[in-house]
């Protein structure tokens, strides 16, 4: 149902437009009704099951009225397999009521019916529920009462199929009336959608199918809402989303051939009348169905279409194709047919063309009608009709006696595949001397017909006639027949074929018009000469004097046939003709009507006297009188032809022959021996066609029955066939159409034969003539048929694209631009064409092809080239010459078409889009492709060639290296950039080495020939640096058994710094043997191609412990991607077949196989690819499954980069074996300056890799020997030779290296392990002379190369340190440094606790506040790290560990411990009675056992429910130390293990996560620090008190003589440490008893409370100054002898700083008061008082000043000020961290009160100034001896939290 439309299904990110406000309400209401109806139907059809109870999900009341009661029954059925008890809550509203609440008990399969009554009081919808409760849960049954409303159900949206633009598609959807009311609807929708029907009425629950029509006009996504108003008055509405997708159609043509711009379908050569069918395909590659239509392009007028296709239009489905069959039926022979079809689709952006071509070559016997041109086809083409030929062109009958006849045979061959119809134009009635049998017929294809020719001479003369053989659809064939007749009296010269060839030469030279005597005379007078063939010719020197007649032009056979029959016969008398010797008029005589005698005229056109001889047959009804006569030159004579038929009702027709011969030749014939062959001329045969009939008037002629093959011709040949056994007399009425000539015009067709007509017309050039020629049959007008002849004068007409204008785009000077122009032949004749250019344009403009042939309706593409020479605008006028192919002389009748060509020349240049292209870093040996944009801002295209110059900018390379071959490859060095466009020049760089390359690209512009012109112009510069792939380890983390190792230790164990150094170097050529990981070795230990070999040391761990996991972070620090791979030996080995394995392995190979087979070392992932700047964590794991040392060589391979061999080393220690893991057998101390007084302490670390604590001892005997060898100077001292190391912990041995000379000292010291193995370690140290080294002396601490921050988290890590290493560098002794460390909890839900685990040694120099705390989710804590340096120089390398544990895990552990303690207490107080007699006791015993949980005996198993847990015992770790691969234990050990497994141990606390914080520093003596670091000395505060104390202890230590071997040994070294055992238990019980006794004493807590309330005395650090001594003049002042020591201000013990100097008492003057008078005494007393007061004030001021100065010099005061400032900064940073203080806020300016001007009393000026300054100081400054009044912060040290008020006087 359509309620809401969440998103567009075509595009999920596109939302529909917002609907109106009222639409949502109506839609929701309609949706509610629809849902209710749906639920109603669903409830009626099926019931629901809730918690095993089957019932209705909803009860619906639909038809109800107000005030009534409507009851429905709710059935409950138990379908569960057990008893069900249900409680229910009745409906809440008053409209629904049911039974009183009760418990419904349903047995399996039973039902319960509950009536529910609905009492409506309001006409609205009501809704309520009945809730049922059972043990499994609750479910509800809905109660609904609805009112009838109009409701329609329809889909939310309708997706129409994709449609092409300007096409349509339809779909349907169902509209259902879901209400009980009759509902009318009406649709409203806009284009391009249409709904049908638009309106209607639906009855209750009736459905209607609505059809949607989608007809888009554009290609896009259509989304539109169709609104439907329904109801009685259309008060309700709903909408339907219509979605449609439209795309532009695209159709493609698939054909065998292709031309430029169109497809090509060639039919080849097809016989006339035949039909050849081919097809092409129209494919639809678009995703929408498209319609198409086929149409022909406009063709020339009167050009008939010979290509037919039945498929005019159709549909093509997406991805399919449609075949279009095309039939080629030619109607003209020797004709090329060309036609174009256009495939168009509505809405398509383009149209497709296909070219159809075919050639006609003949006919079949089924088609008796066809056409043929009267001229030749194009010169190069083979004959298009039947290839009929005669076996001989000349047939010689020789000499025949008069009255006899001769017969000769010749062959008529038809080698073509079509039948040939032929007919000889010769008489068959006996008038002709030469006759042919058969005169007409058909030659089958690929066959030969034998023709018999008869020679029946009637006059003793030579005979010669040229017989024409008319072949249908072919040019006429001519057969020259010659024969000579001799009589008894006359023996003429025999005519030979050579005489004919000579005659033809004479005819061509115009000599046949002269009689033989004239020719002989001219030859005798040298006016003629013989050529090399023996023929006569005019000499060259007489060519100008004697001008013979124009030689006849070359004629086609058809022209020759027409000229010999018609033109000669109809020429006016006396008009010369080059080929006409004798003419007759009229050439045709018809005897259809009287009179039966007609006259005809013969004309002599020669210059000699002729003899005319008629060859009439005596049996013929036609006769000529006179039969012979003589005719003078250029004379005319008449003859009478008479028609005398001997039989009535017959048709007659004949050809009357008249032979004309020179009279001189007749005279010479009498003695042919005297004749000259050179002047012998054969006779000319003149024929006259005669026809007539002998039907009497009124007699009906035969009804003609014939068929014409083509009633409508256009300059073609026509064939008529007679279908009866009667002859047919025909005549064409050419009088009405004088422009048309037909041969033969009349004649007789024998029964069953055919007659070929040849038509010829000369139409006018202006109009197209449509002529009608009457064909009269059997000499009756009523048997006349009309032939329509269309005479068209075809002019050469072509269509040139662009209306005769050719515009060239702007062209650069010297370049060539090309333009394609299509030329189409719009005439019906094939045309020759030729382009001509003006002389001025010949060098600028050219066209290809310049000449050619255009078939009718054919188009060709001409390619024009414009090559300007200078910058200007060119206007050129090329011309196109056209002439028909039939014209033999191309110089005549040529049509010329002028075109206009316009071109603009300009100068162009190019530039690069960027002047400098920086490629950055390129992989050495790789290939980096890039593109250089070449921009052409000019108006013409620019052709260019690129040259590259390379330079290597690396000072480390030699000149030979700089002469490398060019490593920048251009995809193309030549190209052309179009005008105002950009070309991307693709380049590739393959650097061979690591160096900085620079390439300079320059270009030359190219001219039309492709040669460079001008100077090279700079284009751009390309820079790139060849680099190898780089990889660097940026972080290391340990977990599992390696979690106790700090990052610095991991950095050393895994040789990460040397690894990074190796990765930064260039690979050697051997390392690049295999650029990518490859299996190349046949051995199990592959060969190594690298010299870089490093160790990856996993350390040591006990057997069976967690795997040692080390997480290394690899980062791609370069700018190219890097592919890396860790290759195990098995990854480098070529896999061999089983039979190829030798089976002999070395111990090393066996060890490697064991390690690889058991996967002791694993890497995850083994390979990968890193983009620039990215990092990847790789986990290395070593499993401790076998005891001993495991090694495995692993190759780190960077593709196209370095190879580094990593030796994985791991040690697994037996659990009962003490083991110290030494990473190396050599240790080197930091170089120390010689002559120093305070050599620094240095540290050597020992790592306990076993499972047991161990004690170590360093044998120092060799150190004593070294001291003795150096004159008693302790060069190397071991400060802590003894110690203990816990499992998985590191102990530090302190050393003091004090070199005596600037050399290297070395000593091999054994380090013994109690109950373990000893190791011999070589210690080396170097001394240096600072004076000799100067500034290069190694005083400074080496920079820390270990990263300070964590790059990647460990699995499950949620707490992180802001920095993991604190490097303080070089600091002075007795100084303090403070750093801020942040702990961050990244978990969103978990709360954690943290605690800094500092050792006693760490507490001496490090303070961290707070040391422990908690972190809520997403909370951070600020930890303040304070580092105190001792008084002696030392190297500090501390590893501070922070333990982090989850608070939830601790709570779970505490709960488990409490449960364990309760169980332990129960087991301690519980006992078991084992007396057997108690087993038969009564119920009391049973109850006791059940309450106490004591297990019962075996005889009462039914009463025992729980088994007592085993006692809790502590099992030593040695019992459980067995690993998975240890030997199988014995029975006793297995029993002990089973018992141990049954013991419920105390729950172990959750293992905390360790965070390592490394701290490194080096302290220098004050003198050395001031000398080496003078600028940094003022940045540190020196604790003078600590320095003086250290100095005093050092003096005392130097005064005390050494005490043998105990020198340098701390007093607590020999104290045993308490571990698990009886001593620890005794000490624990003793201390517990003492503490409990103190806690039980009531006075002890009270005393502690009172002591806590007492103020802490502040004078414990500062001694108050002594009271001032009274003046000596005062008698009341006591003596100063009892005052403190004059060294006031100097601390006990000689702090080394002097305070107030001692005051010398003034001399006391003792006088008796009675000796002086009162006045004098009074005056003296006043004076003395004034003097004493002044003296007292002066002394007080001086004492206060000196006291202040002394206090400022106190070390305690300096420490106090330092503590106050430090605590102030700490408090500020803490407030800033907590957000209580904004450090970036602007400071507030507080206005101070005005300063009081000084008093005029000069005496009080000093005191008042001091007082004002004293008042302006803060409280702390006013009283330097008083501490802060407020309680100190939590970050203040105890020394700053004491309060003390100094007494003032």
């Amino acid at each position: 149902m359509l309620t809401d439309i969440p998103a567009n299904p075509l595009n999920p990110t596109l939302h529909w437009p917002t609907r109106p406000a009222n639409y949502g309400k109506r839609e929701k209401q309609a949706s509610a009704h629809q849902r209710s109806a749906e639920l109603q139907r669903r409830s009626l059809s099926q019931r629901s099951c809730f918690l095993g109870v089957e019932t209705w999900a909803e009860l619906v009341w639909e038809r109800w009225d107000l005030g009534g009661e409507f009851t429905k029954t709710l059935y409950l059925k138990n379908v569960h397999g057990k008893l069900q008890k249900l409680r229910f809550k009745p409906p809440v509203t008053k409209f629904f009521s049911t039974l009183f609440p009760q418990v419904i008990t349903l047995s399996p399969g039973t039902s319960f019916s509950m009536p529910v009554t609905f009492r409506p009081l309001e006409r609205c919808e009501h809704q309520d529920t009945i809730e049922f409760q059972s043990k499994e849960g609750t479910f509800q049954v809905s109660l609904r009462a609805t009112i009838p409303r109009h409701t329609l159900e329809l889909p939310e949206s309708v997706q129409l199929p994709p449609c092409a633009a300007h096409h349509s598609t339809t779909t349907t959807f169902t509209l259902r009336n879901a209400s009980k009311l009759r509902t009318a609807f009406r649709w409203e929708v806009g284009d391009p959608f249409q709904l049908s029907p638009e309106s209607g009425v639906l009855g209750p629950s009736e459905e209607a199918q609505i059809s949607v029509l989608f007809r888009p006009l554009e290609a896009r996504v259509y989304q539109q809402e169709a609104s439907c108003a329904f109801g009685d008055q259309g008060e309700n509405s709903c909408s339907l989303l219509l979605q449609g997708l439209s795309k532009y159609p695209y159709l493609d043509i698939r054909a065998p051939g292709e031309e430029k711009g169109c497809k090509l379908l060639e039919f080849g050569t097809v016989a006339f009348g035949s039909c050849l069918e081919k097809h092409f395909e129209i494919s639809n590659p678009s995703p929408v169905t498209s319609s198409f239509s086929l149409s022909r392009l406009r063709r020339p007028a009167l050009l008939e279409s010979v290509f037919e296709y039945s498929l005019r239009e159709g549909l093509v489905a997406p991805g399919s194709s449609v075949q279009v069959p095309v039939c080629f039926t030619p109607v003209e022979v020797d004709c090329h047919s060309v036609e174009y079809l256009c495939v168009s689709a509505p809405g398509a952006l383009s149209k497709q063309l296909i070219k159809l071509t075919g050639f006609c070559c003949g006919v079949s016997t089924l088609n008796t009608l066809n056409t043929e041109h009267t001229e030749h086809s194009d010169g190069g083409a083979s004959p298009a009709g039947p290839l009929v030929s005669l076996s001989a062109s000349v047939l010689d009958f020789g000499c025949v006696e008069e009255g006899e006849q001769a017969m000769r045979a010749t062959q008529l061959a038809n080698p073509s595949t079509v039948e040939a119809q032929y007919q000889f134009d010769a008489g068959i009635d006996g008038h002709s001397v030469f006759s042919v049998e058969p005169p007409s017929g058909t030659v089958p294809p690929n066959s030969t017909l034998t023709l018999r020719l008869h020679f029946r001479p009637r006059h003793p003369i030579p005979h010669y006639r040229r017989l024409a053989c008319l072949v249908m659809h072919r040019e006429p064939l001519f057969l020259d027949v010659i024969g000579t007749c001799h009589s008894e009296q006359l023996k003429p010269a025999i005519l030979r074929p050579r005489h004919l060839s000579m005659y033809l030469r004479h005819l061509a030279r115009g000599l046949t018009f002269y009689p033989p005597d004239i020719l002989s005379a001219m030859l005798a007078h040298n006016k003629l000469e013989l050529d090399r063939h023996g023929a006569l010719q005019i000499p060259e020197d007489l060519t100008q004097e004697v001008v013979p007649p124009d030689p006849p032009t070359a004629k086609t056979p058809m022209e020759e046939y027409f000229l010999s029959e018609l033109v000669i016969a109809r020429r006016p008398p006396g008009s010369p003709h080059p080929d006409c010797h004798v003419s007759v008029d009229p050439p045709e005589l018809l005897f259809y009507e009287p009179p039966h005698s007609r006259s005809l005229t013969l004309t002599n056109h020669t210059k000699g006297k002729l003899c005319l001889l008629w060859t009439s047959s005596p049996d013929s009804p036609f006769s000529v009188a006179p039969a012979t006569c003589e005719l003078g030159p250029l004379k005319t004579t008449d003859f009478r032809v008479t028609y005398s038929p001997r039989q009535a009702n017959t048709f007659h027709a004949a050809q009357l022959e008249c032979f004309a011969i020179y009279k001189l030749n007749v005279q010479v014939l009498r003695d042919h021996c005297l004749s000259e062959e050179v002047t012998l001329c054969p006779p000319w045969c003149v024929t006259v066609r005669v026809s007539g009939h002998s039907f009497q008037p009124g007699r009906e002629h035969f009804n003609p029955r014939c068929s014409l093959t083509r009633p409508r011709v256009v300059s073609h040949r026509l064939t008529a066939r007679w279908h009866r056994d009667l002859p047919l007399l025909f005549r064409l009425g050419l009088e009405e159409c004088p422009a048309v000539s037909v041969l033969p015009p009349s004649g007789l067709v024998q029964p069953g034969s055919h007659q070929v007509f040849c038509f010829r017309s000369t139409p006018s050039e202006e109009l197209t003539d449509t002529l009608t020629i009457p064909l009269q049959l059997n000499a009756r007008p009523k048997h006349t048929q009309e032939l329509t002849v269309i005479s068209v004068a075809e002019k050469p007409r072509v269509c040139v694209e662009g209306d005769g204008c050719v515009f060239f785009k702007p062209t650069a000077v010297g370049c060539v631009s090309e333009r394609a122009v299509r030329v189409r032949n719009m005439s019906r004749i094939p045309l020759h064409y030729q382009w001509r250019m003006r002389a001025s344009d010949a060098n600028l403009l050219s066209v290809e092809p310049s000449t050619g042939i255009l078939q009718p309706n054919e188009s060709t593409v001409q390619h024009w080239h414009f090559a300007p020479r200078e910058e200007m605008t060119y206007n050129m006028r090329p011309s196109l010459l056209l002439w028909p192919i039939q014209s033999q002389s191309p110089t005549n009748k040529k049509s010329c078409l002028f075109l206009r060509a316009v071109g603009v020349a300009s100068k162009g240049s190019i530039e690069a889009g960027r002047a400098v292209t920086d490629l950055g870093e390129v992989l050495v040996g790789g290939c980096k492709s890039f593109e250089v944009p070449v921009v052409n801002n000019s108006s013409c295209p620019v052709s260019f060639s690129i040259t590259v110059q390379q330079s290597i900018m690396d000072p480390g390379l030699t000149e030979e290296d700089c002469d490398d071959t060019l490593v920048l490859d251009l995809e193309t060095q030549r190209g052309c950039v179009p005008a105002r466009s950009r070309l991307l020049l693709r380049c590739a760089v393959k650097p061979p080495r690591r160096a900085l390359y620079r390439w300079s690209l320059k270009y030359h512009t190219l001219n039309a020939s492709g040669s460079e012109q001008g100077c090279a112009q700079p284009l751009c510069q390309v820079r790139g640096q060849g680099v190898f792939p780089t990889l660097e380890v940026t972080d290391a983390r340990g977990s599992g058994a390696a979690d106790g190792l700090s990052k610095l230790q991991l950095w050393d164990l895994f040789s990460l710094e040397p690894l990074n150094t190796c990765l930064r170097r260039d690979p050697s050529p051997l390392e690049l043997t295999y650029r990518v990981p490859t299996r190349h070795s046949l051995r199990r230990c592959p060969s190594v191609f690298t010299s870089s070999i490093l160790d990856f040391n996993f350390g040591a761990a006990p057997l069976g412990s967690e795997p040692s996991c080390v997480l290394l972070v690899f980062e791609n620090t370069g700018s190219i991607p890097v592919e890396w791979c860790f290759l195990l030996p098995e990854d480098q080995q070529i896999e061999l077949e089983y039979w190829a394995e030798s089976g002999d392995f070395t111990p090393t190979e066996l060890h490697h196989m064991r390690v690889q087979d058991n996967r002791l070392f694993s890497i995850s992932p083994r390979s990968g690819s890193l983009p620039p700047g990215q990092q990847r964590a790789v986990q290395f794991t070593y499993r401790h499954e076998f005891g001993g040392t495991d090694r495995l060589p692993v190759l780190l391979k960077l593709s196209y980069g370095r190879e580094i061999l990593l030796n994985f080393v791991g040690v697994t220690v037996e659990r009962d074996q003490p083991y110290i893991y030494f990473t190396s057998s050599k240790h080197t101390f930091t170089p120390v300056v010689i002559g120093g007084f305070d050599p620094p302490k240095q540290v050597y670390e020992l790592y306990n890799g076993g499972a047991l604590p161990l004690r170590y001892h360093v044998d120092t005997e060799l150190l004593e020997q070294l001291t003795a060898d150096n004159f008693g100077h302790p060069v190397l001292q071991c400060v802590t030779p003894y110690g203990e190391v816990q499992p998985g912990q590191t102990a530090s041995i302190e050393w003091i290296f004090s070199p005596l000379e600037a050399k290297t000292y070395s000593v091999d010291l054994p380090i013994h392990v109690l109950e373990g193995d000893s190791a011999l370690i070589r210690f080396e140290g170097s001394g240096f002379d600072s004076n000799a080294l100067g500034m290069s002396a190694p005083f400074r601490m080496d920079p820390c190369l270990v990263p300070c921050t964590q790059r990647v988290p460990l699995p499950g890590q949620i707490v992180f340190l802001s920095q993991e290493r604190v490097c303080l560098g070089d600091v002075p002794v007795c100084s303090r440094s403070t750093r801020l460390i942040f702990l961050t909890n990244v978990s969103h839900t978990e709360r954690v606790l943290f605690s800094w685990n500092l050792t006693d040694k760490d507490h001496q120099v490090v303070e961290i506040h707070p040391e422990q705390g908690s972190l809520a989710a997403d909370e951070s804590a600020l930890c303040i790290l304070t580092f105190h340096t001792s008084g002696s120089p030392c190297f500090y390398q501390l590893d501070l560990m922070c333990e982090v544990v989850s608070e939830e895990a601790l709570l779970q552990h505490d709960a488990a411990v409490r449960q364990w303690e309760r169980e332990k207490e129960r087991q301690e107080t519980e006992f078991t009675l084992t007396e057997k007699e108690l087993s038969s006791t009564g119920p009391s015993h049973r109850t006791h056992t059940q309450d106490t949980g004591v297990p019962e005996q075996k005889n009462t198993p039914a009463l025992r429910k729980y088994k007592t847990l085993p006692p809790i015992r502590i099992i030593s770790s040695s019992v459980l130390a067995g690993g998975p691969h240890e030997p199988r234990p014995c029975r006793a050990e297995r029993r002990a293990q089973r018992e141990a497994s049954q013991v419920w141990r105390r729950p172990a606390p959750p293992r905390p996560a360790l965070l390592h914080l490394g701290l490194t520093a080096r302290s220098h003596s004050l003198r050395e620090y001031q000398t080496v670091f003078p600028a940094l000395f003022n940045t540190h505060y020196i604790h003078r008190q600590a320095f003086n104390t250290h100095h005093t202890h050092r003096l005392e230590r130097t005064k005390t003589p050494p005490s043998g071997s105990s020198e340098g040994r701390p007093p607590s070294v020999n104290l045993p440490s308490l571990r698990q055992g009886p001593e620890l238990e005794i000490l624990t019980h003793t201390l517990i008893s003492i503490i409990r006794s103190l806690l039980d004493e009531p006075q002890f807590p009270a005393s502690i409370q009172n002591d806590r309330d007492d103020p802490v005395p502040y004078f414990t650090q500062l001694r108050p100054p002594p009271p001032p001594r009274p003046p000596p003049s005062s008698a009341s002042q006591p003596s100063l002898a009892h005052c403190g020591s004059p060294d006031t201000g100097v601390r006990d013990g000689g702090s080394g700083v002097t305070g107030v100097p001692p005051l010398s008492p003034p001399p006391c003057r003792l006088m008796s008061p009675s000796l002086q008078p009162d006045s004098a005494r009074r005056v003296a007393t006043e004076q003395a008082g004034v003097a004493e007061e002044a003296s007292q004030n002066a002394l007080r001021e001086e004492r206060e000043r000196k006291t202040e100065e002394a206090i400022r010099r106190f070390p305690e005061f300096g420490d106090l000020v330092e503590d106050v400032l430090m605590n102030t900064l700490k408090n500020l940073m803490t407030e800033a961290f907590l957000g209580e203080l904004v450090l970036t806020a602007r400071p507030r300016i507080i206005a101070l009160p005005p300063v009081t001007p000084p008093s005029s009393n000069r005496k009080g000026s000093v005191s008042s100034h001091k007082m004002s300054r004293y008042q302006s100081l803060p409280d702390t400054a006013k009283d330097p001896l008083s501490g802060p009044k407020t309680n100190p912060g939590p970050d203040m040290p105890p020394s700053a939290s004491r309060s003390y008020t100094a007494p003032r006087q």
Side-chain angles (χ1 to χ4, degrees), residues 255 382 502 504 657 746 756 1009 1177 1468 1695 1701 1774:
S382 61
M502 192 177 300
L504 294 177
E657 292 181 349
S746 61
V756 178
S1009 61
E1468 289 177 352
S1695 62
T1774 303

Side-chain angles (χ1 to χ4, degrees), residues 1054-1072:
F1054 279 75
S1055 308
L1056 296 182
E1057 190 56 38
L1059 176 62
N1060 289 338
T1061 303
C1062 294
L1063 290 174
R1064 296 188 193 103
R1065 295 175 183 170
D1066 294 347
S1068 62
L1070 285 178
E1071 294 179 10
L1072 296 177

Side-chain angles (χ1 to χ4, degrees), residues 145-220:
T146 61
I147 58 177
R149 291 188 179 181
H150 294 283
T151 306
L152 292 180
E153 290 183 357
L154 66 162
E156 294 181 355
S157 62
V158 174
Q159 178 70 46
L160 284 96
C163 178
H166 294 270
H167 290 67
S168 62
T169 183
T170 59
T171 187
T172 60
F173 66 91
T174 302
L175 180 66
R176 183 179 181 276
N177 183 10
S179 66
K180 302 299 181 181
L181 304 176
R182 187 176 178 85
T183 304
F185 66 91
R186 184 179 66 259
W187 289 100
E188 293 182 1
V189 66
D191 293 335
F193 297 98
Q194 295 180 8
L195 297 179
S196 178
E198 295 184 356
S199 61
V201 178
L202 293 177
S205 301
E206 185 180 355
E207 296 180 353
Q209 294 294 326
I210 307 297
S211 62
V212 184
L213 176 64
F214 177 48
R215 184 172 294 162
L217 299 179
E218 298 179 359
R220 64 183 181 91

Side-chain angles (χ1 to χ4, degrees), residues 930-934 944 946 970 972 983-987 1001:
F930 63 97
E931 294 177 344
V932 176
V934 179
F944 63 90
I946 302 293
L970 299 177
T972 175
L983 175 68
L984 294 179
L985 185 64
R986 293 179 175 86
C987 311
L1001 273 67

Side-chain angles (χ1 to χ4, degrees), residues 276-412:
L276 178 62
E277 180 176 328
K278 288 189 176 183
H279 69 272
F280 64 91
E281 293 184 357
I282 302 176
S283 62
N284 181 11
S286 64
V288 293
T289 302
S290 176
S291 63
F292 68 91
S293 61
L294 276 175
S295 60
R296 306 177 192 265
L297 289 187
R298 185 175 64 89
R299 57 181 182 269
L302 300 178
L303 182 63
E304 300 182 45
S305 177
V306 295
F307 298 96
E308 294 296 334
Y309 54 93
S310 59
L311 187 61
R312 305 288 178 176
E313 58 185 16
L315 294 176
V316 187
S320 63
S321 60
V322 175
Q323 288 189 353
V324 180
V326 182
C327 295
F328 174 47
T329 307
V331 295
E332 292 187 37
V333 294
D334 294 346
C335 177
H336 290 269
S337 300
V338 179
E339 195 161 352
Y340 293 88
L341 297 183
C342 176
V343 179
S344 59
L349 301 179
S350 61
K351 297 181 180 181
Q352 301 291 329
L353 292 179
I354 181 169
K355 179 180 178 182
L356 309 177
T357 62
F359 182 72
C360 176
C361 67
V363 304
S364 65
T365 56
L366 297 179
N367 300 325
T368 59
L369 173 67
N370 208 331
T371 61
E372 182 178 6
H373 282 296
T374 58
E375 292 83 14
H376 284 293
S377 60
D378 51 340
S382 61
L387 301 178
V388 180
S389 62
L390 290 171
S391 60
S393 60
V394 178
L395 194 62
D396 185 8
F397 286 88
C399 182
V400 179
E401 295 295 333
E402 186 178 5
E404 297 182 359
Q405 64 178 358
M407 190 269 293
R408 296 286 186 271
T410 185
Q411 302 292 330
L412 183 63

Side-chain angles (χ1 to χ4, degrees), residues 985-1054:
L985 185 64
R986 293 179 175 86
C987 311
V989 173
K990 300 178 181 179
R993 58 168 52 90
R994 185 197 294 264
L996 182 61
Y997 292 87
R998 183 177 65 184
W999 299 276
S1000 299
L1001 273 67
K1002 299 182 179 180
Y1003 76 94
H1004 289 82
T1005 56
L1006 303 179
N1007 55 16
S1009 61
S1011 59
E1012 299 177 353
Q1013 58 182 3
C1015 300
Q1017 301 295 328
L1019 183 62
C1020 67
Q1021 284 190 357
V1022 180
R1023 298 175 182 174
Q1025 184 174 7
V1027 297
F1028 289 99
T1030 58
L1031 203 63
E1032 186 176 350
V1033 180
T1034 58
D1035 195 10
R1037 305 287 299 176
S1039 61
D1043 59 352
L1045 297 176
S1046 63
K1047 182 179 290 188
L1048 183 60
Q1049 292 173 328
L1050 292 175
W1051 214 260
D1052 295 336
L1053 289 175
F1054 279 75

